[in-house]
Structure formats: C-alpha cells, structure tokens
Amino acid sequence: MRIIVCVKRVPDSESRIAKAKDGLSVDTQGVKFVLNPYDEYAVEEALKLKEAAGDGSVSVITLGGEESKETLRTALAMGVDEAVLLKGQPSVDGLGTAEKLAEAIKGREYDLVLFGKQAIDDDNLQVPAMVAELLGLPCATVVTELQVDGGAVTATREVEGGHEIVEFELPGLIAAQKGLNEPRYPSLKGIMQAKKKPLEEVDAGDAESRLEVVEVMNPPVRAAGQIVGEGADAVPELVRKLRDEAKVI
Amino acid sequence: MHGLTSSVDDNYLSDEHRMLRDMVREFADNEIAPVAREFDREGKFPWGNVAKMAELGLFGIPWPEEYDGAGMDVLASALVSEELAKVCPSHAITVGATISLAASPIYYFGNEEQKQRYLTKLARGEVLGAFGLTEPEAGSDAQGTQTRAEEKSDHWVLNGTKIFITNGGVGEIFVATAVTGRRSNGQKEISSFILTKETRDLEEALAVGTGHAVDLEYTPGFTHGKKEDKLGWRASDTTELIFEDAIVPKENMLGERGHGFKNFMQTLDGGRIGMAAHLLGIAEGALEQTLKFTSERRQFNTRICDFQGIRFEIADWLTRIEAGKHLTYHAANLRQAGEPHSKEAAMAKLYCSELANWATVKAVQFHGAYGYTTEYRVERLMRDAKIGEIGEGTSEVQRMVIARHLLGPETTPEKEDA
C-alpha cells in the first residue's frame, strides 16, 4: 500500500491572529505554526493503513517555503517514511495549489491519496476535490470512517443530518474529517529519526491565482450578552429577541 | 488559550527539542489538564497518566539508546519538566525525580552492570525511582546523616530513615546515602547504595501495566513509611524510606566508597536544573491563565487587562520568564557539555523558584475571588510553587552555593578553632 498525504503548515488555532499592515494578509510575527489539524487525521489514517497492510510506504507532500520543513518533520516524527517539499507558495485560489500538488503526485507511485478535509487557515475546502479531478481519481470528502480491503474502499462520509457510505476501487482520494481516528503523538524515537529520513526538495514555483485578495477583515467584536429575565416569565421575551433581533430562530 | 512564544527558544532549541516540546504540550493539555484538579484534591497518584508518559518515553529522555533512553539531552529533559509543570507540577516532578534523582546517579556513577540492570528499567518507565538523602537530622548538611551501613562479608546492613522522598511509595528502584565509616579527620564517610522494593500501589501498577518489575530482587528489610499530606504537589507521592537491617549486596554500592555525598551533590546540580525548568513552567502556566482571564473579565466597562496596574506586572512577568529561560537553558547546556555548572544550576533554581512564587501570587490576585477557588488552575499552581523555594536545596542553600563560588568556603570561628 503506497500512500501519499498532502499537508499544510497553518497557524495554531490558539494563536492570536492579527491583520498585517498591508491589510491583505495575516501578520505572522510571533504566531506559532502547526501541522493542519485535519491533516493529522489523514497522516494517522495513512499510518494505520500501512501498519494493517504490513508493508508499503507513507509519504507527505506540501507546497510551501523553507519553514514548511518543520511541518513535514512533524509528520515524519509521527512515523511517515519520507517527505517532499514543493518549494513555492500556495495560492488563496485553491485551483492553483491543486495544480501544483497534482503535478507532483502524477509522477509518483501511489494507491491512495489522503488529505485533511480543509486547512484551518483559509478554510477553502477546495483542494482535495480539485486534485482528485486533475488526477482523474474517485474522491470521498469529509470522511469519518474508512475501510480498505485489498483494492476496495468503503468510506463513510458526514452529510447534513446523517451519513453516506460510498465505495470505490483504488487508486482514489480521501479527505479526512475529525472523528476518523485519534492522531498519535510523535514518539521520541520518531522525533530523533525525523531528520534522518529522506526529505526531497522540488522547485515547484508559486501557485497561480485567479483570485485577488482585496481586503482582510477582523471578525466583528462580540457584543456583551444580555440577561432578559429569570424563570418561565422570561421565555416569551427570549424567544422574541432570538427571532426578531438575533434572527436565529 | 494564550500559548506563549519566545525567541529565546529559537536561540537554544533544536528542531528535535521543538518537536518534543510541542508533543509534551499537547499531551499535557489533552491528558493531564482535565484530571489535574481531581488528583490534587484527592492527593491521588496519577497512575494512568504515568503509564501514558512511560509509553511516550518521557522517563528516558536524556539517556543513551543503549540504556533504552531516547538519546536526547539535559535540555530536552528540562523542556519536559517545563511543559508538564505548566499544567500539573505533580506530574512534572514524578517524571523529573525519576530522571534526575534516581536514574541520573546510576548513569553518572554506576558500573555497566548496574546500568543494564537498573537504569534501563527507569529509562523505559517500567518502574519509578527516587533518591534518599534527607533525614530528620540531615539534608544539605551531610554530616548529620544517621543512616549507617555496616560491612559484612558479602553484603552491607543498612539501618535508618529517610524522609520527604518523592516517589518513595510508588517507586521500586532507589539510591540512598549511608555512613560507612569515619575518615582519618573524624568526619563521617558517606557512600551510596542502590536498593529495591515492591511498589506500594501494586494493584494500580498492575492495572495500568507500569510501575512494577517482575524480575527485580528486592532488598530485604527495606520499605516505605508513611505518605505525607502536603500543601502542594499533592498528586506526587512523598514518603519516608525505612531501612531495618536492610541487606544490600556489595555489588549494589553506587560509585566509590566514601564518594556518596560528593556524588549526590553533583546529582543535585542536575536536579536543580530540572527544578528550575519546572518552576519556569509554573510561572509560564500562571501567566497563560492570567492573560486569558484578564482578557475576558470585564470591570468598569473594560477588560481588566486594559488597566495599567495589570499591564506593568504582566510586562515584568514575561521579562522575568525570558531571563529564567536563559539561566535554565544555559545551565542545562553546560551540564550536557560536561562543563562546571554548579553555580549556574543554583542561580537558575534560585531565580526561577522566586519567580514562580511571585508569579502565582500575582496570578491568584489578578483572578480576584475566582483565583481563590479550586475551579481555576492558579491556586493550585500557587500551592505547588512553594516547594520550589524548599526542595532540592532551599533558596538559602542556593545562595550559599553561589556565594562560595565568589568567596570560597565560609570561615567561621568554630571552624578556625578546629
């Protein structure tokens, strides 16, 4: 079983995010970066599939700058066999990023490509499906359960209000959702070996963008809460406010 | 959460250090934070998490792979103490004492057979360990040591009591000092020994699959005494150790005869670096909690972190944390390189212990009445911080050590007469 996992370096969800001076991006000063949490599920699933199969290989690929090596090493420390850094910047336009990844994957041997369902920085949720399209692969996104039996794949997808089960034959592509597994902590042995594992560098160039960012805004400041009253007497007023003012019911 | 980032880390830490730090941070947030309050309240030893930490390899961080360690270094070990202590100092000292007090003297002063037999078990986290120096009449003053070892044909017979021993009840492998004779100048000759006993919590240890070794030969006449009920470090196990005609084979003497105290002082230098990191972690953990609370809590129509009185203290707080990092990481690297580090270890521990106490008192203050309740982590950190000024040499002893590097040993009239 040869598995390729596509990963991304993203700001830690606990970091304080501020707008950069240009008003078009995020200020990265003092921000801690991590392996995208959904990609951790993808890496874990790849390692589990390899362990269950008893042989094979897991590689990780990312499109990014020199600093993304840190992200790749985190995956290597978890137990991934080899890493590929596509040197270049990802694009806010998912298609540009997908083209670079697809190009790199095309020349490699694989049975399964895994992604996290989304990167938590720009939340596009586009790239996995676009890569599948560009490679002509069957694709299941938002996957919470996965079974691979020989070449046959059964994936459970999360859909509005329930689940959907899909089947396909390898090769194929899966985008992982939370719940698929519990990602392991990198082992100490893994951490010590991470630097000794192969890390290939490819000059991929920056991803093309058909979109232009014209402004980045902070989320609205959350207003203070209101106490409308106590007990059952307050319910009609609460319902009125939820319906007429907050417009949530 | 307000995870602190520091450019000091960039200066000292390798990629491996950073990965280790991040892994332990995540582990502590996920596995320890949810249960720390309960274990503190009940004074219960966290066996479940000890097993998980053993599985991650945290007990073997600085030891070479040939002894089943991770092959990392003193700084790595300090980082683990720092990250665990941010969330739960009791967890941190359980690991820290096993590494820097039990395994460390065996690694530095033990022979190959002792390392294979005992160090490997401690490094794997298969069993916990401790060391026994303090007695009712002795601590930093070694000449007060009452525990004595009598030499027989093929063994030693130990009698005496050690007190305030971290991991005393839960542990199985111990290093302890005893008087083995008199020197020509009349002073006590102190040597150290490796002793073993069954863990007090056998049932729990068997249930979690760590903490008990089936193939250890126990020292007859050696056991743990009563467990202390403490102000802080409540989930860490502190007991007496009791030797009643304890029979220790000759081959279990650790290091050379008569070098026991000197070797323990060198062990403590390492212990102090671990403690400095531990206390640094407490100060950082308290700051993270305080940043979060003061950014959310509103009074007089503004966040309380907007008041200058709070801002100035928080600025000092971070400044001191970064100073503490320099002192601690520097001492760790000196020890790793085999350079003299006794003064630097004492300075790091002294500075960080005062920092942790100052910081946690501030943290409780800035949390107001909330900080006085057990619902918020800071009151626990405040209680846990206090031991930092006492354990592994009080702040007064650290100052003695540092001053001796500048002025030489103290000359007292009494000593001049002698």
Side-chain angles (χ1 to χ4, degrees), chain A residues 176-228:
Chain A
Q177 162 70 317
K178 184 177 181 173
L180 180 60
N181 51 47
E182 260 319 305
R184 67 195 66 189
Y185 298 102
S187 71
L188 289 176
K189 209 172 162 193
I191 288 172
M192 295 305 280
Q193 285 174 348
K195 262 200 171 157
K196 296 173 194 145
K197 289 182 179 175
L199 198 161
E200 182 190 339
E201 295 182 45
V202 179
D203 278 315
D206 296 344
E208 192 190 335
S209 184
R210 298 153 187 89
L211 300 176
E212 189 192 348
V213 178
V214 291
E215 198 183 347
V216 166
M217 282 167 291
N218 289 318
V221 176
R222 206 192 302 175
Q226 287 177 39
I227 296 172
V228 294

Short mmCIF file of all heavy atoms in Angstrom, two decimals, chain A residues 176-228:
data_model
loop_
_atom_site.label_atom_id
_atom_site.label_comp_id
_atom_site.label_asym_id
_atom_site.label_seq_id
_atom_site.Cartn_x
_atom_site.Cartn_y
_atom_site.Cartn_z
N ALA A 176 -10.02 13.68 5.06
CA ALA A 176 -10.37 13.24 6.41
C ALA A 176 -11.10 14.29 7.23
O ALA A 176 -10.75 15.47 7.21
CB ALA A 176 -9.09 12.83 7.14
N GLN A 177 -12.10 13.83 7.97
CA GLN A 177 -12.84 14.67 8.91
C GLN A 177 -12.49 14.25 10.33
O GLN A 177 -12.07 13.10 10.56
CB GLN A 177 -14.35 14.49 8.64
CG GLN A 177 -15.30 14.94 9.75
CD GLN A 177 -15.34 16.46 9.91
OE1 GLN A 177 -14.31 17.13 9.88
NE2 GLN A 177 -16.52 16.99 10.09
N LYS A 178 -12.67 15.15 11.27
CA LYS A 178 -12.49 14.82 12.69
C LYS A 178 -13.35 13.60 13.02
O LYS A 178 -14.47 13.49 12.53
CB LYS A 178 -12.94 16.03 13.51
CG LYS A 178 -12.72 15.86 14.99
CD LYS A 178 -13.12 17.11 15.73
CE LYS A 178 -12.86 16.87 17.22
NZ LYS A 178 -13.06 18.06 18.02
N GLY A 179 -12.83 12.71 13.85
CA GLY A 179 -13.60 11.52 14.21
C GLY A 179 -13.11 10.28 13.49
O GLY A 179 -13.39 9.16 13.88
N LEU A 180 -12.33 10.51 12.39
CA LEU A 180 -11.82 9.37 11.63
C LEU A 180 -10.91 8.51 12.51
O LEU A 180 -10.91 7.28 12.40
CB LEU A 180 -11.04 9.89 10.41
CG LEU A 180 -10.43 8.85 9.47
CD1 LEU A 180 -11.49 7.94 8.88
CD2 LEU A 180 -9.65 9.52 8.34
N ASN A 181 -10.17 9.15 13.40
CA ASN A 181 -9.24 8.42 14.29
C ASN A 181 -8.75 9.38 15.38
O ASN A 181 -9.13 10.55 15.39
CB ASN A 181 -8.05 7.88 13.48
CG ASN A 181 -7.40 8.97 12.64
OD1 ASN A 181 -7.14 10.06 13.13
ND2 ASN A 181 -7.16 8.68 11.38
N GLU A 182 -7.91 8.89 16.26
CA GLU A 182 -7.23 9.72 17.26
C GLU A 182 -5.77 9.81 16.87
O GLU A 182 -5.04 8.83 17.01
CB GLU A 182 -7.32 9.06 18.65
CG GLU A 182 -8.37 9.57 19.62
CD GLU A 182 -8.55 11.08 19.66
OE1 GLU A 182 -7.56 11.80 19.88
OE2 GLU A 182 -9.69 11.53 19.46
N PRO A 183 -5.32 10.95 16.36
CA PRO A 183 -3.92 11.01 15.91
C PRO A 183 -2.96 10.71 17.06
O PRO A 183 -3.19 11.12 18.19
CB PRO A 183 -3.75 12.45 15.44
CG PRO A 183 -5.12 12.94 15.16
CD PRO A 183 -6.03 12.21 16.12
N ARG A 184 -1.91 9.97 16.76
CA ARG A 184 -0.90 9.62 17.78
C ARG A 184 -0.01 10.83 18.06
O ARG A 184 0.09 11.74 17.24
CB ARG A 184 -0.06 8.45 17.28
CG ARG A 184 0.83 8.77 16.09
CD ARG A 184 1.36 7.52 15.42
NE ARG A 184 0.29 6.73 14.80
CZ ARG A 184 0.46 5.52 14.29
NH1 ARG A 184 1.65 4.95 14.31
NH2 ARG A 184 -0.55 4.87 13.75
N TYR A 185 0.63 10.82 19.22
CA TYR A 185 1.67 11.80 19.49
C TYR A 185 2.94 11.32 18.81
O TYR A 185 3.19 10.11 18.76
CB TYR A 185 1.93 11.92 21.00
CG TYR A 185 0.74 12.38 21.79
CD1 TYR A 185 -0.03 11.49 22.52
CD2 TYR A 185 0.39 13.72 21.80
CE1 TYR A 185 -1.13 11.91 23.24
CE2 TYR A 185 -0.72 14.16 22.52
CZ TYR A 185 -1.48 13.25 23.24
OH TYR A 185 -2.57 13.68 23.94
N PRO A 186 3.75 12.25 18.30
CA PRO A 186 5.03 11.80 17.74
C PRO A 186 5.81 11.08 18.84
O PRO A 186 5.83 11.53 19.98
CB PRO A 186 5.74 13.10 17.37
CG PRO A 186 4.69 14.15 17.31
CD PRO A 186 3.61 13.71 18.26
N SER A 187 6.41 9.94 18.53
CA SER A 187 7.19 9.23 19.55
C SER A 187 8.57 9.86 19.64
O SER A 187 9.03 10.53 18.72
CB SER A 187 7.31 7.77 19.17
OG SER A 187 8.19 7.65 18.07
N LEU A 188 9.26 9.63 20.76
CA LEU A 188 10.61 10.18 20.91
C LEU A 188 11.53 9.60 19.86
O LEU A 188 12.38 10.28 19.31
CB LEU A 188 11.13 9.86 22.31
CG LEU A 188 10.44 10.66 23.40
CD1 LEU A 188 10.92 10.24 24.75
CD2 LEU A 188 10.70 12.14 23.19
N LYS A 189 11.35 8.31 19.58
CA LYS A 189 12.16 7.66 18.56
C LYS A 189 11.91 8.35 17.21
O LYS A 189 12.83 8.64 16.46
CB LYS A 189 11.78 6.18 18.49
CG LYS A 189 12.90 5.31 18.05
CD LYS A 189 12.51 3.84 18.20
CE LYS A 189 13.45 3.00 17.37
NZ LYS A 189 12.99 1.65 17.20
N GLY A 190 10.63 8.60 16.95
CA GLY A 190 10.25 9.27 15.71
C GLY A 190 10.87 10.65 15.62
O GLY A 190 11.37 11.06 14.57
N ILE A 191 10.85 11.39 16.73
CA ILE A 191 11.42 12.74 16.75
C ILE A 191 12.92 12.67 16.44
O ILE A 191 13.44 13.47 15.66
CB ILE A 191 11.18 13.40 18.12
CG1 ILE A 191 9.68 13.76 18.26
CG2 ILE A 191 12.04 14.65 18.31
CD1 ILE A 191 9.28 14.24 19.64
N MET A 192 13.61 11.70 17.05
CA MET A 192 15.05 11.60 16.84
C MET A 192 15.40 11.15 15.41
O MET A 192 16.46 11.46 14.91
CB MET A 192 15.68 10.63 17.85
CG MET A 192 15.58 11.10 19.28
SD MET A 192 16.28 12.75 19.53
CE MET A 192 18.02 12.37 19.61
N GLN A 193 14.47 10.41 14.79
CA GLN A 193 14.75 9.90 13.44
C GLN A 193 14.29 10.85 12.34
O GLN A 193 14.70 10.72 11.19
CB GLN A 193 14.05 8.55 13.24
CG GLN A 193 14.76 7.41 13.96
CD GLN A 193 13.97 6.13 13.87
OE1 GLN A 193 12.81 6.14 13.46
NE2 GLN A 193 14.59 5.03 14.25
N ALA A 194 13.43 11.81 12.72
CA ALA A 194 12.78 12.65 11.70
C ALA A 194 13.79 13.30 10.76
O ALA A 194 13.57 13.39 9.55
CB ALA A 194 11.91 13.70 12.37
N LYS A 195 14.89 13.76 11.33
CA LYS A 195 15.87 14.48 10.49
C LYS A 195 16.68 13.54 9.59
O LYS A 195 17.30 13.98 8.65
CB LYS A 195 16.83 15.25 11.39
CG LYS A 195 16.43 16.72 11.51
CD LYS A 195 17.60 17.55 11.98
CE LYS A 195 17.26 19.02 11.90
NZ LYS A 195 18.09 19.81 12.81
N LYS A 196 16.67 12.26 9.96
CA LYS A 196 17.46 11.30 9.17
C LYS A 196 16.65 10.74 8.01
O LYS A 196 17.18 10.08 7.13
CB LYS A 196 17.95 10.16 10.07
CG LYS A 196 18.91 10.64 11.14
CD LYS A 196 19.25 9.52 12.12
CE LYS A 196 19.92 10.08 13.36
NZ LYS A 196 19.57 9.37 14.57
N LYS A 197 15.33 10.97 8.01
CA LYS A 197 14.50 10.42 6.94
C LYS A 197 14.60 11.31 5.70
O LYS A 197 14.87 12.50 5.81
CB LYS A 197 13.05 10.34 7.42
CG LYS A 197 12.83 9.24 8.47
CD LYS A 197 11.37 9.18 8.87
CE LYS A 197 11.15 8.06 9.89
NZ LYS A 197 9.77 8.06 10.39
N PRO A 198 14.35 10.72 4.53
CA PRO A 198 14.51 11.50 3.29
C PRO A 198 13.52 12.66 3.20
O PRO A 198 12.32 12.49 3.49
CB PRO A 198 14.24 10.48 2.18
CG PRO A 198 13.95 9.19 2.82
CD PRO A 198 14.00 9.32 4.29
N LEU A 199 14.03 13.84 2.86
CA LEU A 199 13.18 15.00 2.61
C LEU A 199 13.62 15.58 1.26
O LEU A 199 14.68 16.18 1.14
CB LEU A 199 13.34 16.03 3.74
CG LEU A 199 12.25 17.09 3.88
CD1 LEU A 199 12.29 17.72 5.26
CD2 LEU A 199 12.32 18.17 2.82
N GLU A 200 12.79 15.31 0.27
CA GLU A 200 13.11 15.73 -1.10
C GLU A 200 12.62 17.16 -1.33
O GLU A 200 11.53 17.51 -0.89
CB GLU A 200 12.41 14.75 -2.05
CG GLU A 200 12.66 14.97 -3.51
CD GLU A 200 11.72 14.11 -4.37
OE1 GLU A 200 11.19 13.09 -3.87
OE2 GLU A 200 11.50 14.49 -5.53
N GLU A 201 13.44 17.96 -2.01
CA GLU A 201 13.00 19.33 -2.31
C GLU A 201 12.84 19.49 -3.82
O GLU A 201 13.72 19.10 -4.59
CB GLU A 201 14.02 20.34 -1.78
CG GLU A 201 14.11 20.30 -0.26
CD GLU A 201 15.08 21.35 0.29
OE1 GLU A 201 15.03 22.50 -0.17
OE2 GLU A 201 15.87 20.99 1.18
N VAL A 202 11.71 20.05 -4.21
CA VAL A 202 11.42 20.24 -5.63
C VAL A 202 11.08 21.71 -5.85
O VAL A 202 10.29 22.27 -5.09
CB VAL A 202 10.20 19.38 -6.06
CG1 VAL A 202 9.88 19.60 -7.53
CG2 VAL A 202 10.44 17.91 -5.75
N ASP A 203 11.70 22.33 -6.85
CA ASP A 203 11.34 23.72 -7.15
C ASP A 203 10.04 23.73 -7.94
O ASP A 203 10.03 23.51 -9.14
CB ASP A 203 12.46 24.40 -7.96
CG ASP A 203 13.57 24.88 -7.05
OD1 ASP A 203 13.23 25.48 -6.00
OD2 ASP A 203 14.76 24.65 -7.36
N ALA A 204 8.95 23.97 -7.24
CA ALA A 204 7.64 23.89 -7.88
C ALA A 204 7.19 25.26 -8.37
O ALA A 204 6.37 25.37 -9.28
CB ALA A 204 6.62 23.31 -6.91
N GLY A 205 7.68 26.31 -7.78
CA GLY A 205 7.21 27.66 -8.13
C GLY A 205 5.90 27.97 -7.44
O GLY A 205 5.21 27.08 -6.93
N ASP A 206 5.56 29.25 -7.40
CA ASP A 206 4.34 29.67 -6.71
C ASP A 206 3.10 29.23 -7.48
O ASP A 206 3.10 29.20 -8.71
CB ASP A 206 4.32 31.20 -6.54
CG ASP A 206 5.45 31.67 -5.64
OD1 ASP A 206 6.03 30.82 -4.93
OD2 ASP A 206 5.75 32.87 -5.66
N ALA A 207 2.07 28.90 -6.72
CA ALA A 207 0.80 28.52 -7.35
C ALA A 207 0.15 29.73 -8.01
O ALA A 207 0.22 30.84 -7.48
CB ALA A 207 -0.13 27.92 -6.30
N GLU A 208 -0.47 29.48 -9.15
CA GLU A 208 -1.15 30.56 -9.86
C GLU A 208 -2.41 30.96 -9.09
O GLU A 208 -3.05 30.11 -8.46
CB GLU A 208 -1.53 30.07 -11.26
CG GLU A 208 -1.97 31.17 -12.18
CD GLU A 208 -2.58 30.61 -13.48
OE1 GLU A 208 -2.24 29.46 -13.85
OE2 GLU A 208 -3.40 31.32 -14.07
N SER A 209 -2.76 32.22 -9.16
CA SER A 209 -4.00 32.63 -8.51
C SER A 209 -4.89 33.38 -9.48
O SER A 209 -4.47 34.32 -10.14
CB SER A 209 -3.71 33.53 -7.30
OG SER A 209 -4.92 33.81 -6.65
N ARG A 210 -6.12 32.88 -9.58
CA ARG A 210 -7.09 33.58 -10.42
C ARG A 210 -7.96 34.51 -9.57
O ARG A 210 -8.87 35.14 -10.06
CB ARG A 210 -7.96 32.56 -11.15
CG ARG A 210 -7.16 31.66 -12.07
CD ARG A 210 -7.84 30.31 -12.28
NE ARG A 210 -7.00 29.40 -13.02
CZ ARG A 210 -6.11 28.57 -12.48
NH1 ARG A 210 -5.93 28.53 -11.16
NH2 ARG A 210 -5.39 27.76 -13.24
N LEU A 211 -7.66 34.51 -8.28
CA LEU A 211 -8.38 35.39 -7.36
C LEU A 211 -7.43 36.45 -6.85
O LEU A 211 -6.23 36.20 -6.71
CB LEU A 211 -8.92 34.61 -6.15
CG LEU A 211 -9.90 33.47 -6.42
CD1 LEU A 211 -10.22 32.78 -5.11
CD2 LEU A 211 -11.16 33.99 -7.07
N GLU A 212 -7.97 37.61 -6.50
CA GLU A 212 -7.15 38.64 -5.89
C GLU A 212 -7.77 39.01 -4.55
O GLU A 212 -8.97 39.28 -4.49
CB GLU A 212 -7.09 39.87 -6.80
CG GLU A 212 -6.08 40.89 -6.32
CD GLU A 212 -6.24 42.24 -7.05
OE1 GLU A 212 -6.97 42.28 -8.06
OE2 GLU A 212 -5.65 43.21 -6.57
N VAL A 213 -6.97 38.98 -3.50
CA VAL A 213 -7.49 39.40 -2.19
C VAL A 213 -7.53 40.92 -2.17
O VAL A 213 -6.51 41.57 -2.42
CB VAL A 213 -6.60 38.88 -1.04
CG1 VAL A 213 -7.14 39.36 0.30
CG2 VAL A 213 -6.52 37.37 -1.07
N VAL A 214 -8.68 41.50 -1.91
CA VAL A 214 -8.76 42.97 -1.89
C VAL A 214 -8.86 43.51 -0.47
O VAL A 214 -8.54 44.67 -0.21
CB VAL A 214 -9.94 43.50 -2.74
CG1 VAL A 214 -9.66 43.26 -4.21
CG2 VAL A 214 -11.25 42.84 -2.33
N GLU A 215 -9.29 42.68 0.47
CA GLU A 215 -9.33 43.14 1.85
C GLU A 215 -9.43 41.95 2.79
O GLU A 215 -10.04 40.93 2.47
CB GLU A 215 -10.55 44.05 2.06
CG GLU A 215 -10.42 44.90 3.31
CD GLU A 215 -11.66 45.76 3.57
OE1 GLU A 215 -12.50 45.88 2.67
OE2 GLU A 215 -11.75 46.27 4.70
N VAL A 216 -8.80 42.10 3.96
CA VAL A 216 -8.94 41.11 5.02
C VAL A 216 -9.51 41.84 6.23
O VAL A 216 -9.06 42.93 6.56
CB VAL A 216 -7.58 40.46 5.37
CG1 VAL A 216 -7.65 39.70 6.68
CG2 VAL A 216 -7.12 39.54 4.26
N MET A 217 -10.54 41.29 6.83
CA MET A 217 -11.19 41.97 7.96
C MET A 217 -11.17 41.11 9.21
O MET A 217 -11.23 39.89 9.12
CB MET A 217 -12.64 42.30 7.60
CG MET A 217 -12.78 43.50 6.71
SD MET A 217 -14.44 43.61 6.02
CE MET A 217 -14.46 42.22 4.93
N ASN A 218 -11.15 41.79 10.35
CA ASN A 218 -11.30 41.07 11.62
C ASN A 218 -12.76 40.68 11.78
O ASN A 218 -13.65 41.36 11.26
CB ASN A 218 -10.91 41.98 12.79
CG ASN A 218 -9.41 42.20 12.83
OD1 ASN A 218 -8.63 41.29 12.62
ND2 ASN A 218 -9.02 43.44 13.07
N PRO A 219 -13.03 39.59 12.51
CA PRO A 219 -14.43 39.27 12.78
C PRO A 219 -15.04 40.39 13.64
O PRO A 219 -14.31 41.08 14.35
CB PRO A 219 -14.36 37.96 13.56
CG PRO A 219 -12.96 37.83 14.03
CD PRO A 219 -12.10 38.65 13.14
N PRO A 220 -16.37 40.57 13.55
CA PRO A 220 -16.98 41.63 14.35
C PRO A 220 -16.75 41.38 15.84
O PRO A 220 -16.72 40.24 16.28
CB PRO A 220 -18.47 41.54 14.01
CG PRO A 220 -18.66 40.21 13.38
CD PRO A 220 -17.35 39.81 12.79
N VAL A 221 -16.57 42.48 16.58
CA VAL A 221 -16.38 42.34 18.02
C VAL A 221 -17.67 41.81 18.62
O VAL A 221 -18.76 42.29 18.30
CB VAL A 221 -16.03 43.71 18.65
CG1 VAL A 221 -15.92 43.59 20.16
CG2 VAL A 221 -14.74 44.23 18.05
N ARG A 222 -17.55 40.80 19.46
CA ARG A 222 -18.75 40.20 20.04
C ARG A 222 -19.34 41.13 21.09
O ARG A 222 -18.63 41.58 21.99
CB ARG A 222 -18.40 38.85 20.65
CG ARG A 222 -19.60 37.93 20.69
CD ARG A 222 -19.35 36.71 21.54
NE ARG A 222 -18.19 35.93 21.08
CZ ARG A 222 -17.75 34.88 21.75
NH1 ARG A 222 -18.33 34.50 22.87
NH2 ARG A 222 -16.70 34.19 21.31
N ALA A 223 -20.61 41.44 20.96
CA ALA A 223 -21.23 42.35 21.92
C ALA A 223 -21.47 41.63 23.25
O ALA A 223 -21.51 40.40 23.30
CB ALA A 223 -22.57 42.83 21.36
N ALA A 224 -21.60 42.39 24.30
CA ALA A 224 -21.84 41.80 25.62
C ALA A 224 -23.18 41.07 25.62
O ALA A 224 -24.11 41.44 24.90
CB ALA A 224 -21.84 42.89 26.67
N GLY A 225 -23.32 40.01 26.41
CA GLY A 225 -24.56 39.26 26.49
C GLY A 225 -25.64 40.04 27.23
O GLY A 225 -25.37 41.03 27.90
N GLN A 226 -26.86 39.60 27.06
CA GLN A 226 -27.97 40.25 27.78
C GLN A 226 -28.69 39.23 28.64
O GLN A 226 -28.87 38.09 28.21
CB GLN A 226 -29.01 40.77 26.78
CG GLN A 226 -28.59 41.99 25.99
CD GLN A 226 -29.70 42.35 24.99
OE1 GLN A 226 -30.89 42.26 25.31
NE2 GLN A 226 -29.29 42.74 23.81
N ILE A 227 -29.12 39.65 29.81
CA ILE A 227 -29.97 38.79 30.63
C ILE A 227 -31.38 39.36 30.51
O ILE A 227 -31.63 40.51 30.90
CB ILE A 227 -29.48 38.77 32.09
CG1 ILE A 227 -28.08 38.13 32.15
CG2 ILE A 227 -30.47 38.00 32.97
CD1 ILE A 227 -27.40 38.22 33.48
N VAL A 228 -32.28 38.58 29.94
CA VAL A 228 -33.62 39.12 29.68
C VAL A 228 -34.56 38.93 30.86
O VAL A 228 -35.64 39.50 30.90
CB VAL A 228 -34.25 38.50 28.40
CG1 VAL A 228 -33.46 38.89 27.17
CG2 VAL A 228 -34.32 36.98 28.52
#
